[in-house]
Amino acid sequence: MSVLEEMRIRSLGVIDDAVVELSPGFTAVTGETGAGKTMVVTSLGLLLGGRADPALVRVGAKAAVVEGRITVSRGDAAAVRAEEAGGEIEDGALIISRTVSAEGRSRAHLGGRSVPVGLLAELADELVAVHGQTDQQGLLKPARQRQALDRYAGGGVEGPHTKYAAAYRRLRAVVTELDELTTRARERAQEADLLRFGLEEVAAVEPLPGEDTELAAEAERLGHAEALASAAALAHAALAGNPEDPEGVDATTVVAAAGQSLDAVRAHDPALAALADRIGEISILLADVAGELAGYADQLDADPLRLAAVEERRAALTALTRKYGRAGGDTASVLAWAEDGASRLTELEGDDDRIGELTAERDALRVELSALGQELTDARTEAAARFAEAVTEELASLAMPHARVSFAIGQTEAPDEESGIDIGGRSVLYGPSGADEVELLLAPHPGAQPRPIAKGASGGELSRVMLAVEVVFAGSDPVPTYLFDEVDAGVGGKAAVEVGRRLAKLARSAQVVVVTHLPQVAAFADRQLLVEKTVDGSVTRSGVTVLEGEDRVRELSRMLAGQEDSETARAHAEELLETARADG
């Protein structure tokens, strides 16, 4: 179990430099009003990611610093999260620090590693449950009370709640998609019409991959057919001769003559024979080229009608590319658009079928949610009875023997069937945690009507109800450390003794830190810390001291009678300590 061993506080409020050494069990923080007891609570709040207020920085200091040492086990959630953030755990301890500058800047460190302040807030849920006047007000809200009941119920509610939450998320997704399909029907129909028109245009032209490139080459050739034919004829005549000029000289004849002159003497020199062979190869190559030039000229199409057809086809392909192809694209990009468009059109044309499928799934999910919501309500109702009975028993030990705690679990009628689910034969509003509205009720004495605890309990009664709730929680879902700030306000006499007794009981399963002004509560602590203010000239500062033996008796005497040396107060203080030791 995680335990907050100590905190060092520097330049925070009236505290100049103090070390707060805490007990693994029950630690009471006492001191006169204005001495700075709440700075202990504020310091812990800063360590756990609370809001940084530069006004808390001690006058004249550049920054306030709070450091905390928490013992953790390797498997603890806090330890795992710290190591994930790069923090180190040394000798089973995790060091947390928070710095707040006078200018308002805030820094946080976890296990020696700088981390976002939000990470400290994440750890808070795993480490400490804080109860002060403000936190107490939060627990008075019905939503928080439902969370508290679910936390107490454990697996009894967790199982149905998990199934319900999954079905709820799916229903929300289905409803969202269904709303989109129905509300955007016109836009989707227009999109489908545009796609059909475009696909029909592409189908009418029937472009082929690479066709535009081939047509561009053919247009270039047809546009210069006369020049190409003339050049081919001249080249052919130069190679093979001109039939109209028998006396003309051509390359084939000249090369043949050269070969013949060498053939006559090639037997006399191998080098000359090799040259003669090469001339023979040239003669063959010239003859081949001359033949191809003759064929090219014969096959060259100079038909202006064909050129017009090619240009018309190119224009049609260019128009398609501009409308449906990518910038600078070709027919391949048009064909890619057509493929995607056909797929999208299939999807759009299937909307009616999809709407039918989603409507059926929505209706089935609503039926499923109704069954799961009823199961969740039944589980909460059963847990509420056990929770209320346990808290009522605790209140009997807190000098409220006739008080009765109960839960009111109800639902709000839905304005129409579409916005509700059926619970107990009624259409009721529902949310991610079910349809239940949970409220904790208190009847402080026989004959009193149960009322919401915010209205039916006095300040002292409310403090005891909250303490009873935490004692009950400790048996089902313990938190490593509980911090109570003036939660015993409005309590005195025998009730104060019982509060101390119950806090001591809670400390058997968790660490408990209490800021208190009641000696009856402080006497039950395993360790008592005194926050004491001193004035040195114009400088006021507070320090924290561990009280033992005679010093603790003196502080309890002061708390009892306002007089440290009163014999009557001392006797009463010693009696309180003896009572607490006997209970332990």
Side-chain angles (χ1 to χ4, degrees):
M1 184 181 71
S2 301
V3 174
L4 179 61
E5 287 188 332
E6 67 176 28
M7 288 192 301
R8 184 173 184 182
I9 308 168
R10 286 179 287 176
S11 302
L12 185 69
V14 295
I15 297 180
D16 181 23
D17 190 347
V19 175
V20 181
E21 299 178 2
L22 301 172
S23 166
F26 179 7
T27 300
V29 181
T30 64
E32 293 184 359
T33 302
K37 298 190 298 297
T38 57
M39 286 300 102
V40 175
V41 180
T42 301
S43 299
L44 187 55
L46 288 173
L47 281 182
L48 299 174
R51 187 177 67 88
D53 184 357
L56 295 174
V57 179
R58 185 173 172 81
V59 177
K62 294 182 179 179
V65 180
V66 181
E67 296 177 348
R69 177 183 176 88
I70 300 175
T71 60
V72 293
S73 300
R74 287 290 177 182
D76 290 347
V80 172
R81 189 67 185 91
E83 290 179 330
E84 288 175 349
E88 295 184 359
I89 298 173
E90 297 182 359
D91 299 327
L94 179 63
I95 306 299
I96 303 176
S97 69
R98 182 82 180 277
T99 302
V100 180
S101 71
E103 291 78 23
R105 293 189 299 273
S106 174
R107 291 181 298 168
H109 289 81
L110 180 65
R113 176 65 62 89
S114 178
V115 296
V117 173
L119 179 57
L120 301 187
E122 288 182 29
L123 294 180
D125 292 337
E126 304 293 340
L127 296 173
V128 179
V130 179
H131 286 281
Q133 297 300 321
T134 301
D135 307 282
Q136 198 163 277
Q137 292 301 318
L139 194 54
L140 298 181
K141 298 177 181 178
R144 289 283 298 275
Q145 291 174 13
R146 184 183 62 201
Q147 294 171 5
L149 176 59
D150 289 354
R151 173 184 160 197
Y152 172 80
V157 165
E158 184 179 0
H161 188 276
T162 300
K163 296 177 184 177
Y164 175 93
Y168 177 85
R169 288 192 298 270
R170 178 56 190 161
L171 177 59
R172 291 295 92 203
V174 168
V175 169
T176 298
E177 185 177 355
L178 193 56
D179 287 345
E180 181 183 1
L181 288 175
T182 53
T183 58
R184 292 187 55 212
R186 176 179 296 180
E187 291 87 345
R188 296 170 75 88
Q190 291 174 345
E191 182 184 357
D193 287 342
L194 290 173
L195 284 172
R196 288 191 195 94
F197 178 79
L199 291 171
E200 288 170 0
E201 278 196 306
V202 174
V205 177
E206 295 186 35
L208 299 173
E211 183 183 4
D212 46 357
T213 302
E214 295 174 2
L215 289 175
E218 185 178 0
E220 184 72 15
R221 185 169 62 252
L222 290 171
H224 300 83
E226 292 183 4
L228 292 171
S230 176
L234 289 173
H236 180 269
L239 293 177
N242 187 348
E244 297 178 0
D245 184 12
E247 301 298 328
V249 179
D250 59 81
T252 301
T253 302
V254 171
V255 172
Q260 290 173 0
S261 66
L262 294 179
D263 285 341
V265 295
R266 62 182 295 156
H268 304 301
D269 187 351
L272 194 61
L275 292 174
D277 291 340
R278 291 171 65 185
I279 290 175
E281 294 172 359
I282 292 173
S283 181
I284 295 171
L285 181 60
L286 286 174
D288 288 344
V289 173
E292 290 184 15
L293 284 171
Y296 175 84
D298 293 339
Q299 295 175 3
L300 187 62
D301 187 0
D303 184 1
L305 294 179
R306 173 57 185 168
L307 177 60
V310 168
E311 293 295 356
E312 183 179 354
R313 178 67 175 174
R314 290 184 68 200
L317 293 176
T318 300
L320 282 182
T321 303
R322 287 174 178 170
K323 292 179 69 174
Y324 306 113
R326 63 177 182 273
D330 52 16
T331 54
S333 64
V334 174
L335 293 170
W337 175 88
E339 183 179 354
D340 293 341
S343 176
R344 174 62 175 163
L345 182 59
T346 300
E347 178 185 335
L348 292 172
E349 289 176 338
D351 278 356
D352 290 342
D353 294 337
R354 182 61 178 157
I355 288 174
E357 293 172 0
L358 290 172
T359 300
E361 184 178 4
R362 180 200 62 188
D363 294 343
L365 284 168
R366 288 170 60 83
V367 172
E368 181 182 359
L369 270 187
S370 294
L372 291 172
Q374 184 65 63
E375 186 178 350
L376 198 52
T377 297
D378 293 343
R380 283 176 174 147
T381 301
E382 187 276 332
R386 290 187 290 108
F387 189 16
E389 182 179 357
V391 174
T392 298
E393 290 180 2
E394 287 297 326
L395 288 177
S397 301
L398 291 172
M400 295 178 66
H402 304 297
R404 292 291 179 271
V405 169
S406 60
F407 273 102
I409 299 179
Q411 298 84 27
T412 298
E413 294 281 350
D416 52 66
E417 290 188 1
E418 288 297 318
S419 60
I421 59 174
D422 183 84
I423 300 291
R426 298 183 302 136
S427 179
V428 298
L429 292 176
Y430 65 101
S433 295
D436 301 320
E437 297 172 356
V438 175
E439 193 161 27
L440 189 61
L441 307 178
L442 174 69
H445 51 79
Q449 289 296 318
R451 301 181 63 194
I453 56 174
K455 301 176 181 179
S458 64
E461 289 172 337
L462 184 57
S463 298
R464 280 176 278 175
V465 171
M466 293 299 102
L467 176 56
V469 166
E470 285 298 2
V471 171
V472 172
F473 272 159
S476 59
D477 186 17
V479 175
T481 300
Y482 292 90
L483 174 62
F484 292 91
D485 178 21
E486 303 288 355
V487 76
D488 51 12
V491 178
K494 181 180 178 182
V497 173
E498 294 303 329
V499 168
R501 199 171 266 128
R502 304 319 283 173
L503 287 168
K505 177 184 178 182
L506 182 60
R508 294 171 190 167
S509 58
Q511 182 182 32
V512 176
V513 181
V514 178
V515 178
T516 182
H517 65 281
L518 293 179
Q520 296 94 329
V521 172
F524 281 87
D526 300 303
R527 172 171 293 175
Q528 184 171 347
L529 303 180
L530 173 64
V531 181
E532 195 170 21
K533 181 169 61 177
T534 60
V535 179
D536 184 7
S538 60
V539 178
T540 302
R541 56 172 53 89
S542 291
V544 180
T545 306
V546 177
L547 297 179
E548 296 178 349
E550 180 62 23
D551 291 334
R552 188 173 184 187
V553 173
R554 286 172 59 84
E555 171 63 7
L556 290 175
S557 299
R558 181 199 63 77
M559 296 171 71
L560 282 164
Q563 298 178 2
E564 300 174 354
D565 298 323
S566 167
E567 290 300 325
T568 302
R570 285 177 58 83
H572 191 182
E574 291 172 349
E575 183 182 359
L576 281 175
L577 288 171
E578 185 61 33
T579 299
R581 281 192 288 267
D583 280 7

